[in-house]
Amino acid sequence: MARSVRAYFLRLPLVRQMRCVQLRRLHPLGEGQPRGRAIVRHYWAQFLEKHRSDLRGRGLEIGSTWTIRQYGGEALTDADAIDLIAHSPEITVVADLTDADEVATDTYDCFVNQFTMHLIYDLDSALYHSLRILKPGGALLVNFPSVEYCFARGLDMGTGAPLFVFWQFTALQVENLLRRAGLTDGDFEVELYGNLFTRIAYQMNMPAEELTSAELESADPGHPLLICVRAVKPAGWDVPRPEQRTPWVPDVTPARWNPVTGHYA
């Protein structure tokens, strides 16, 4: 109750105008500590709700099974999670998505690949395996951030390897990636979320609850915050395995993920 009252107060026109002063700063609000629901998570939830019917049968998710269980419900018959190491009991598939030959082809009805592609250097291999492991007609729901933190030192979240941000995406870049993976216009949909203000607000660590509906729902293709894709594996999909590419990363001691300080650990 207190949180909803605070969010209502912060959305009042006069208060919002006065609060714009706080954006003239060199560091994020709250020193980067988690504050409510991140704007990108708000947009992703909208996208998942729209495509809830795709989450059915045998499903796969990166890092956990929470999302596919939350949105798939009873339509989901099996739920697997994939990651580099078995850092939790939910991880039933231990594999690198860019080199996942050990995961059988035509296995899953749906795959939620969320908030991961910007952390993968070898995009073509990651998308190839994301599609390969789907059954024909299976759905891949994947997102590509246009704006993100950089993790200059790397970030260790205990998932098997330090995380580095390699990419911040444009819609044109995403479309070319999908076409290189053997998909055509009828196989995928690209949806853009966000605008100039939500990009700034996200970087400043403003939660979605502190923005108005108009601010959140305005979509500007010139300033997207999150690019979301629904791709369906076509029958007869047969694409050569891309040559795997390995990135250079700096020799640094990565920051450790801290649930209090968040990304600014």
Side-chain angles (χ1 to χ4, degrees):
M1 181 66 177
R3 177 174 292 182
S4 62
V5 171
R6 180 177 183 273
Y8 170 79
F9 174 76
L10 293 174
R11 287 197 299 266
L12 292 174
L14 179 60
V15 176
R16 286 193 294 113
Q17 293 296 326
M18 294 175 61
R19 293 187 74 223
C20 284
V21 176
Q22 71 182 334
L23 299 182
R24 193 179 182 91
R25 57 191 296 127
L26 299 178
H27 301 284
L29 297 167
E31 298 304 318
Q33 297 181 23
R35 303 171 68 244
R37 180 185 242 184
I39 298 171
V40 290
R41 296 283 177 177
H42 170 83
Y43 288 143
W44 185 235
Q46 285 188 334
F47 180 80
L48 290 172
E49 187 62 43
K50 181 177 179 179
H51 299 290
R52 180 187 287 266
S53 61
D54 286 322
L55 301 181
R56 55 180 174 74
R58 188 173 183 185
L60 181 68
E61 181 181 342
I62 291 181
S64 79
T65 61
W66 187 90
T67 299
I68 54 178
R69 290 183 184 279
Q70 174 78 8
Y71 288 90
E74 294 181 357
L76 206 70
T77 58
D78 294 284
D80 289 333
I82 181 173
D83 220 328
L84 295 174
I85 61 171
H87 55 80
S88 81
E90 284 190 289
I91 307 300
T92 49
V93 181
V94 176
D96 180 342
L97 193 58
T98 66
D99 188 24
D101 293 326
E102 62 268 38
V103 185
T105 299
D106 299 345
T107 297
Y108 293 98
D109 296 290
C110 58
F111 179 20
V112 172
N113 180 342
Q114 57 187 2
F115 302 107
T116 301
M117 293 298 279
H118 62 303
L119 305 171
I120 296 176
Y121 178 73
D122 190 355
L123 295 173
D124 291 284
S125 292
L127 184 57
Y128 166 81
H129 286 290
S130 295
L131 292 167
R132 181 187 61 78
I133 63 180
L134 287 172
K135 299 175 183 177
L140 170 66
L141 303 182
V142 55
N143 59 32
F144 301 85
S146 287
V147 175
E148 194 47 272
Y149 310 111
C150 285
F151 306 155
R153 291 175 48 203
L155 183 64
D156 183 359
M157 295 189 69
T159 56
L163 305 179
F164 291 91
V165 172
F166 293 105
W167 309 102
Q168 301 194 38
F169 295 93
T170 67
L172 184 61
Q173 179 185 8
V174 170
E175 288 236 12
N176 275 277
L177 176 65
L178 295 166
R179 294 178 191 281
R180 287 201 304 271
L183 301 179
T184 60
D185 288 342
D187 301 323
F188 65 85
E189 307 165 37
V190 178
E191 300 182 37
L192 306 182
Y193 292 85
N195 52 70
L196 178 60
F197 180 67
T198 58
R199 286 165 68 113
I200 295 170
Y202 177 63
Q203 289 281 276
M204 284 294 182
N205 198 33
M206 292 180 67
E209 293 88 343
E210 294 183 10
L211 276 65
T212 66
S213 295
E215 290 167 341
L216 286 168
E217 301 312 315
S218 175
D220 181 350
H223 297 280
L225 175 58
L226 191 67
I227 301 169
C228 299
V229 171
R230 174 186 183 264
V232 176
K233 181 179 178 178
W237 181 85
D238 184 18
V239 175
R241 188 187 194 279
E243 181 180 348
Q244 192 175 11
R245 298 188 299 162
T246 303
W248 172 89
V249 294
D251 183 15
V252 293
T253 301
R256 296 279 298 182
W257 167 256
N258 185 310
V260 176
T261 57
H263 292 98
Y264 292 88

